[in-house]
Amino acid sequence: MDSRSVAKHVEDPEYVARPHKLYTLVFPVDTATSKVLLGMKKRGFGKDKLNGFGGKVEPHETIEQGAVRELQEESGLTATHIKKIGLLFFYFENDPVTMEVHVYQSDRYDGRPMETDEMRPEWFGVHEMPFERMWADDSLWWPYALENKRFVGRFWFKADQVTITRQELREVDSLEF
Ligand SMILES: Nc1[nH]c(=O)nc2c1ncn2[C@H]1C[C@H](O)[C@@H](COP(=O)(O)OP(=O)(O)OP(=O)(O)O)O1
C-alpha cells in the first residue's frame, strides 16, 4: 500500500486490502463571479467528460504537490492556495485497483486558463454545473462543496464508467488523518 494513501482511515478491511492508485482533482473557483473552471478531457481516462483538473500522483511528490502540478499542466493556472474538500474512492467493475481521489478547491492562483493537449477549459456558474456532461458521482457530492462541507464518498461503477451500482457519501469534520 502506498504510504500516502488514507484508505485505512475510511474504508472497510475488504477494500483496504486492494491496491490503491492515488489521484488528485482540483476545481479552481472565482469567488468574485461564483464560477468554477472545468476542463473538457480530450484524451485518456474520462475522455469527453467535463471535470476538474488532476491526475496521478507521482512517486516523488506529496498529494498536494501533485494537485498543484496537475492543475498547472492541464489548465495553465498556478495555484497559490488550495484546500482539500473531499476524498473519493472509485471501484470499477473488472478492475482490482481502487482509485483514491483527493479533491481540492483553489480560489487563489496565478495565470489564465489555457487549452492544453489534455483539457479544454471553460467557466461555469457554481449553481449551473453541467452535470449531464460530468462523471455521474459529481452531482451527488457537489452540494457538499457548495455548502463548504468536507465529504468522503465511495462509488462502485460498472465497466461502462457511467452506471453507479452502489454508493456511500457522508460529511466529515476533517480530512486530516
Ligand atoms: N468518477 C469520477 N468522478 C470524478 O469527478 N473524477 C474522476 C472520476 N474518476 C476519475 N476522476 C478523475 C481523477 C483524475 O483527476 C482524473 C484521471 O486521472 P488522469 O487524467 O491522470 O488519467 P489518465 O489515465 O488520463 O492519466 P495520464 O495518462 O497520466 O494523463 O479523473
Side-chain angles (χ1 to χ4, degrees), residues 28-36 105-109 123 126:
V29 175
D30 182 336
T31 45
T33 58
S34 293
K35 290 197 185 254
V36 57
Q105 269 183 8
S106 172
D107 58 2
R108 275 178 264 153
Y109 38 80
W123 292 100
V126 295

Side-chain angles (χ1 to χ4, degrees), residues 124-141:
F124 293 88
V126 295
H127 296 288
E128 289 129 35
M129 297 291 275
F131 291 125
E132 66 289 348
R133 295 156 67 199
M134 300 174 74
W135 282 94
D137 51 282
D138 293 16
S139 65
L140 304 173
W141 53 259

Side-chain angles (χ1 to χ4, degrees), residues 34-72:
S34 293
K35 290 197 185 254
V36 57
L37 190 70
L38 301 178
M40 167 60 73
K41 190 105 186 303
K42 293 160 67 176
R43 65 173 191 211
F45 194 73
K47 182 171 178 294
D48 295 331
K49 290 191 207 296
L50 282 163
N51 204 352
F53 302 85
K56 299 180 192 80
V57 182
E58 301 284 353
H60 61 272
E61 63 189 2
T62 64
I63 296 169
E64 193 164 312
Q65 286 168 343
V68 172
R69 176 185 52 74
E70 287 279 353
L71 175 67
Q72 213 288 321

